[in-house]
Amino acid sequence: MIEEYEEKQDLVPDIYGIELIKALMVELGLKQKDLIPIFKTESIVSDVLNGKRKMTAEHIQRSAEMFHLSPAVFFPEN
């Protein structure tokens, strides 16, 4: 029965890093300004979300704390 149930369910794609933050923003109804506690300025938020800057270790730690997730999920998938 479990196998049959799992076959019928839509699989949740594995997403990491910035794509995860974007998905969490949509799911939680957050705007860029809501991420200022993580990135310190709205311009840094914008640069990170647009791929112009990479997340630092501090950004990853703050993201993990804000979203109550492991820091590992904020590293880009290799």
Side-chain angles (χ1 to χ4, degrees), residues 4 6 10 19-20 24 38 42 53 73 75:
E4 183 179 320
E6 289 176 346
D10 290 330
E19 294 307 314
L20 175 59
L24 289 167
I38 295 171
E42 196 165 354
R53 290 178 89 149
V73 300
F75 287 97

Side-chain angles (χ1 to χ4, degrees), residues 54-66:
K54 295 189 183 265
M55 290 180 73
T56 66
E58 187 175 342
H59 296 154
I60 290 170
Q61 184 61 39
R62 288 182 181 169
S63 297
E65 291 169 2
M66 181 174 184

Side-chain angles (χ1 to χ4, degrees), residues 37-56:
I38 295 171
F39 299 100
K40 295 186 180 176
T41 69
E42 196 165 354
S43 64
I44 295 175
V45 174
S46 179
D47 286 350
V48 170
L49 293 177
N50 291 314
K52 295 178 182 176
R53 290 178 89 149
K54 295 189 183 265
M55 290 180 73
T56 66

